[in-house]
Structures are given as C-alpha cells and as structure tokens.
C-alpha cells in the first residue's frame, strides 16, 4: 500500500494500538520539521516515519489514515447549507464510548434482530438531534459521530464499525432490491480515508429510481435528503447491503418494490402477495383492522386497511377504493407516504384536499381544480411561469410550474412531466 506522508516526526512508541496512534498523531502536528544534522540521520527518520504511517493505516483503519494524510478543514457554503459531496473521514472499529461498555464485541457475536421501521426510527433520532459530524467524538448513545458510526447506531450493532467492517454485518443485494434500512456502502481499500462513505436507504423519491432518500452522517451534521443513486461521486462503486439481523424481506428474490399486478388482490385472491400487503399495512399503522393477523386470503380487513392507508395520503374516490395499485404498492414497499392515523385521530391526513383525478389537468381543460392547483403552486413558491396569475384554464404555465415543483422533490423523467398525480397533489397541499 502506498502511504503519502507530509511531515517528519518520531513516534513515541512503535505500537499499533489506538492509544499509541493518538500519540503519534499528536506528535505529527506538534513537532516541527527538523533542519540540519547529518543527512543519514534524516534518512533514518524518514524511513521510520514511512514504516510508522503504514502501521497506522493497516492497524487502526481510516481514522489514522486520515490523520496521516491530512484533510483540509471544512468550510460551509455562503448559504450555510451542507456540501452535497462531503469529505467523510472516519474513526476506527471499536467499542461504544461512555455507556459502560468495555472491550470490542466478540468475533462470533450474532447480529441483533431488528426491523426496518426500527432502523429508520433510530436514524431519525440523529436527524432530529442534529448530531454534529466528528470522527473523534461520540454521541450520548456511545456511537461515533461519523458516517459508519451512524450506521452502526441505526443497525444497533453495539459497537462502532467502519466502512471496512460494515459489510460483514450485511448481505450484498442488487440495487433494485433496496428497501428502507438497507445501506449503500463505498469502501476504498487503497486509501480508506479518501471517498469511503456509507448512507442509509430511506426509500425511492421517483418512479424512475434515479433518486432516493438518504440518511447520512456528513458535515456539518446528520441529514436526510434526496440523493442521486448511489451518490454524487463514486456512484458506480457503491454496493447495496441488507443487515443480516433485519426481519422481513429476503435478498436475491427479485425487485422487492415491483408491483405484482392488480389481479393479485381483491375478492377471491389467495396468495403470498396478499400476506405481504397485510404485513406492510400493519407496520404502517393498520394493525387494528386485523383480528388475527394478515394472511394469504383476501378479506375485508385487507380492503379496509388498504383504504385507510390510501386516505392517509389524501386520496379520495377511485384513488382510495381499498385495492392496491402501483402507487399504493410503491409507497408501502419503500416506506414513503403517511402512516395510517390512529382510530379517531384527526389531523392532516383526514383534512387534506382530495386529489380530483388526472383528467382535470390537461390541454383544453378549464375547471376549479386547475385554479386551486395554480394558487397552491404560487403559495408554495412555484408560480414564476405565470404571466398574470393562475386561472381555471390549464396552460403551459401550469405544466411548467408543476414540473418545477416535482423536480424540487428530486423526481426526474416521467415522474416530473408537469402533470399532477396523487403524490404531487398530496405534497402540494400537505
């Protein structure tokens, strides 16, 4: 391995443990470059530096490599937003900190069981807390505040891993099989401190699957945002993994988000897709509709739970008939949309403006729904293409404003054609 070195120093000890690595890093930044003296002595020191730096990289992982190589300090953009392509050096594999845990996990320790919902829920706790990025500090839960520490926390591993060890806790899957809670991992073995990164997959943001919701730990703090698949840089080198301890979903079984077809649901249906539908609906708040739990035989419980989920998205009429279609299925399998509210609960899902149907929004149409759409676009800040303000007539200005709104959601291609569908409508009036 070729290890670049930018400063001469004499390490305090020739040991590969984490503590000695810290001492070497401190020495590297504290001691000046020595001048004068015998040339042979300088040569000996350089050889010692090279050997020590190599030991740092090989024994202590990316954190020490980052220290040896050096990273330019991060500076925020003028608008204060995070850099979409952050440099993410990371610490080494180790135990939790400050929680009473001691020693690394045993090599044969089984992966703790968890659910996709729990993984995403844990990921959201750091987003809410706005945990600052750091490769040296540890959050109150004991996990290191860098990208791999964040995934270690979300997967509930009980130890701080790094990009070179996370794959051992997962099973490699195709990108088409990604489900919420899976990860996209890029580990650069040639130089772990350069480019290595990992994100948590939170669901697709467009039907073309060009963008997804990424939960990640990056400078300056934990964030959740629409991200191009698989990332802004090194995209083709990211590998999808599914945590071995996750319950539900199996890798290698084809596209987990592909809609199996309307014929698989409704009166008389008896198949595994009905079971899976029920299980997903239960996870999204529909447990109360099932007296004995989901099963393969279609029943009233399946229809009512499906309808409740559709209505939670603000859909009405044929869009909420209790029979899953491609859009209902996509939201369920990717974790998108709103959950089914508790029984008797009010709130936004029940008061949202119902989507009237696609037929009202096309050339030649003139109706109150077009006028309402235009006014809401202006309210949301997407009315720049109107010359004189929205009105009941559908025009190219309406289409271009809708397209601008759709693209702001991270959608591309046919998902951003400028014609509103149920999801566009829901987000506009949310």
């Amino acid at each position: 391995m070729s290890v670049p070195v930018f400063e001469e120093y004499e390490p305090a000890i020739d040991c590969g443990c984490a503590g000695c690595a810290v001492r070497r890093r401190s020495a590297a930044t504290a001691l000046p470059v020595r001048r004068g003296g015998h040339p042979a002595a300088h040569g000996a020191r350089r050889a010692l530096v090279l050997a020590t730096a190599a030991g740092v990289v090989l024994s202590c992982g990316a954190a020490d490599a980052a220290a040896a190589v050096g990273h330019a300090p991060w500076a925020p953009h003028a608008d204060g937003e995070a850099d979409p392509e952050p440099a993410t050096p990371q610490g080494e594999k180790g135990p939790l900190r400050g929680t009473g845990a001691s020693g690394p996990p045993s090599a044969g320790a089984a992966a703790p069981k968890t659910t996709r919902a729990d993984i995403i829920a844990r990921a959201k706790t750091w987003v809410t807390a706005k945990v600052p990025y750091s490769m040296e500090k540890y959050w109150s839960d004991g996990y290191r505040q860098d990208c791999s520490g964040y995934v270690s926390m979300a997967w509930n591993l009980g130890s701080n891993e790094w990009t070179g060890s996370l794959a051992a806790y997962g099973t490699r899957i195709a990108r088409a099989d990604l489900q919420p809670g899976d990860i996209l991992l890029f580990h650069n073995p040639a130089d772990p401190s350069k480019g290595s990164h990992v994100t948590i997959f939170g669901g697709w943001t467009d039907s073309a699957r060009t963008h997804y919701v990424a939960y990640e730990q990056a400078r300056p703090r934990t964030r959740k945002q629409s991200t191009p698949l698989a990332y802004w840089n090194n995209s083709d080198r990211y590998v999808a993994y599914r945590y071995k301890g996750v319950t539900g979903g199996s890798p290698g079984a084809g596209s987990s988000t592909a809609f199996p077809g309307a014929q698989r649901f409704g009166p008389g249906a008896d198949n595994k897709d009905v079971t899976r539908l029920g299980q997903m609906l239960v996870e999204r708040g529909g447990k109360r509709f099932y007296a004995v739990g989901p099963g393969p035989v279609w029943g009233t419980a399946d229809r009512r739970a499906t309808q409740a989920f559709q209505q939670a998205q603000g859909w009405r009429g044929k869009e909420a008939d209790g029979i899953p279609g491609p859009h209902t299925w996509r939201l369920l399998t990717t974790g998108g949309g709103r959950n089914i509210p508790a029984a008797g609960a009010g709130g936004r899902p029940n008061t949202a403006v119902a989507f009237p149907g696609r037929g009202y929004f096309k050339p030649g149409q003139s109706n109150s729904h077009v006028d309402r759409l235009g006014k809401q676009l202006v309210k949301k800040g997407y009315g720049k293409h109107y010359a004189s303000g929205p009105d009941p007539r559908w025009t190219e200005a309406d289409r271009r404003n809708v397209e601008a709104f759709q693209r702001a959601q991270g959608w591309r291609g046919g998902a951003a054609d400028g014609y509103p569908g149920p999801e566009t409508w829901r987000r506009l009036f949310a």
Side-chain angles (χ1 to χ4, degrees):
M1 179 183 295
S2 175
V3 182
V5 176
F6 299 102
E7 188 169 16
E8 297 183 35
Y9 65 97
E10 295 180 6
I13 188 170
D14 195 16
C15 174
C17 73
C20 294
V22 171
R23 294 179 63 185
R24 284 193 292 270
R25 289 199 296 270
S26 299
T29 56
L31 295 181
V33 178
R34 298 183 181 181
R35 304 296 180 188
H38 196 280
H42 287 304
R45 278 197 297 273
R46 290 190 181 95
L48 179 59
V49 167
L50 288 171
T52 303
V56 168
V57 173
L58 293 175
S59 64
C60 296
D64 301 322
V69 175
H71 285 272
W74 175 86
H77 289 275
D79 59 6
E81 292 299 321
D83 186 344
E85 302 180 61
T88 54
Q90 58 183 311
E92 66 271 12
K93 177 181 173 69
L96 301 186
R97 295 287 181 89
T99 61
S102 61
S106 61
K113 298 295 182 183
T114 189
T115 65
R116 298 186 183 283
D118 286 340
I119 292 173
I120 297 300
R122 283 191 290 269
K124 288 179 177 179
T125 61
W126 278 28
V127 174
T128 302
K130 299 180 180 179
V131 176
Y133 177 89
S134 174
M135 59 179 285
E136 297 173 344
K137 295 181 180 180
Y138 296 78
W139 195 237
S140 57
D141 52 20
Y143 288 97
R144 191 178 54 248
Q145 294 168 213
D146 59 18
C147 64
S148 48
Y150 180 49
V151 171
S152 300
M153 179 277 298
W155 276 9
N156 197 30
L157 298 183
S159 60
N160 282 290
E161 302 301 319
W162 68 302
T163 56
S165 62
L166 279 172
Y169 292 86
T171 301
R172 185 168 179 168
I173 61 173
R175 290 183 180 184
D177 289 336
L178 280 164
Q179 295 185 48
D182 297 336
I183 64 171
L184 285 158
L185 171 68
F186 167 47
H187 176 64
N188 183 6
D191 187 355
S193 67
K194 185 175 182 180
S196 298
H197 190 44
V198 60
T199 68
I200 300 172
F201 180 84
W204 301 107
T205 63
D206 63 335
S207 59
R209 298 186 185 179
T210 62
H211 287 66
Y212 69 101
V213 173
Y215 293 86
E216 61 177 323
Q217 183 68 355
R219 290 185 172 99
R221 63 185 67 88
T222 320
R223 66 188 189 184
K224 169 192 175 185
Q225 67 177 24
S226 177
T227 303
L229 187 69
Y231 210 66
W232 283 274
N233 48 24
N234 299 305
S235 179
D236 60 335
R237 302 177 69 182
Y238 277 76
V239 179
Y241 288 95
R242 176 162 299 152
Y243 176 50
K244 291 179 179 179
V246 74
T247 58
S250 58
S255 176
S256 58
T257 59
F259 181 55
Q263 73 280 0
R264 302 285 288 177
F265 307 100
D270 184 350
N271 56 71
K272 63 180 182 180
D273 294 318
V274 175
T275 302
R276 186 181 177 199
L277 171 71
Q279 292 170 341
M280 291 189 293
L281 289 167
V282 167
E283 289 183 1
R284 301 300 297 274
K287 183 177 180 179
R288 70 177 185 272
F289 295 101
Y290 293 91
V292 295
V297 179
W298 178 268
T300 302
D302 298 296
R303 182 189 62 78
R304 292 179 61 201
T306 301
Q307 185 176 45
F309 178 76
Q310 292 168 334
Q311 290 175 342
Q313 314 315 309
W315 307 343
R316 297 293 184 271
K318 292 183 178 180
E319 300 285 347
D321 59 2
I323 304 295
H327 194 47
T328 300
W329 188 262
R330 182 179 67 81
L331 289 179
L332 285 170
T333 55
T334 62
R338 295 173 178 156
N339 289 340
I340 300 171
R348 295 190 309 176
N350 293 328
T351 59
V353 178
F355 178 59
R358 300 185 198 310
Y360 290 97
F361 309 102
K362 57 185 179 181
Q365 288 293 315
S366 180
N367 54 73
S368 61
H369 301 301
V370 174
D371 188 41
R372 175 183 289 172
L373 171 73
K375 291 177 179 177
Q376 189 67 7
L377 285 166
V378 171
K379 182 179 178 181
K380 291 282 188 177
Y382 296 91
K384 70 177 183 179
H385 295 293
Y386 291 122
S388 58
D391 60 45
R393 295 178 298 107
W394 176 265
T395 67
E396 178 63 11
D398 294 296
R399 192 198 67 77
R400 293 180 67 187
N401 285 329
V402 171
E403 181 184 16
F405 175 79
Q406 292 169 331
R407 293 182 70 84
Q409 313 308 302
W411 305 340
R412 298 295 183 269
D417 59 3
Y419 295 96
E423 184 64 10
T424 299
W425 191 267
R426 183 187 71 79
R427 295 194 183 195
L428 263 175
F429 287 92

